[in-house]
């Protein structure tokens, strides 16, 4: 659900230091918000403080949010802790392989570029004949 940022209340958080938000802001600008913030029904922030802070710094007025129907303070704290601990960073080898693959996709060799050009040409040719069939 899309929520006005001005309507979100930020209560005391477990994480005191949000760290440097520049790379997160760059990500938000480039890809948008990949994971919504989590709020309770009173629109109090449960999880996503760094995402919310980065969105505010970017001048966003609305943000995607998941609303959790719980007023229980214990459950809300559990959710905040859970969101920040139950994730697994990439293993170094997996991350390196991902970046290698991204590099190949961004900068294909001459053979891949030629193959892509041929595919585009034949797709264009097929659409040309479909349009001129009648």
């Amino acid at each position: 659900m899309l929520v006005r940022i001005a309507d979100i209340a930020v209560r005391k958080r477990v994480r005191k230091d949000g760290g440097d938000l520049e790379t997160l802001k760059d990500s938000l600008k480039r890809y948008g918000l990949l994971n919504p913030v989590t709020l309770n029904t009173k629109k109090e922030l449960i999880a996503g403080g760094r995402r919310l802070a980065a969105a505010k710094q970017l001048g966003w007025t609305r943000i995607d949010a998941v609303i959790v129907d719980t007023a229980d303070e214990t459950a809300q704290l559990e959710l905040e802790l859970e969101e920040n601990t139950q994730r697994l960073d990439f293993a170094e080898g997996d991350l390196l392989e991902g970046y290698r693959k991204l590099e190949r996709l961004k900068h294909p060799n001459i053979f891949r570029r030629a193959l892509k050009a041929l595919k585009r040409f034949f797709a264009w040719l097929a659409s040309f004949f479909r349009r001129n069939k009648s």
Side-chain angles (χ1 to χ4, degrees), residues 36-108:
V37 298
T38 305
L39 310 174
N40 64 19
T41 54
K42 295 179 189 174
K43 294 187 181 164
E44 295 171 329
L45 184 69
I46 294 174
R50 285 178 32 87
R51 284 168 274 158
L52 180 62
K56 282 180 181 179
Q57 287 182 18
L58 289 172
W60 290 13
T61 58
R62 296 182 181 277
I63 193 164
D64 283 319
V66 171
I67 307 296
V68 178
D69 188 13
T70 182
D72 179 33
E73 192 174 336
T74 303
Q76 290 181 39
L77 180 56
E78 286 175 338
L79 289 170
E80 180 182 354
L81 293 170
E82 190 73 10
E83 195 216 40
N84 285 287
T85 58
Q86 293 305 319
R87 57 180 169 205
L88 179 63
D89 288 335
F90 277 112
E92 188 176 327
D94 295 340
L95 186 59
L96 288 172
E97 178 57 31
Y99 278 122
R100 277 191 215 109
K101 185 175 181 178
L102 181 60
E103 184 66 23
R104 284 192 308 268
L105 290 171
K106 284 185 169 183
H107 305 287

Side-chain angles (χ1 to χ4, degrees), residues 107-123:
H107 305 287
N109 63 29
I110 189 71
F111 176 74
R112 284 186 182 266
R113 289 193 306 252
L115 188 60
K116 252 183 162 175
L118 276 172
K119 284 181 180 179
R120 283 193 310 269
F121 171 74
F122 283 114

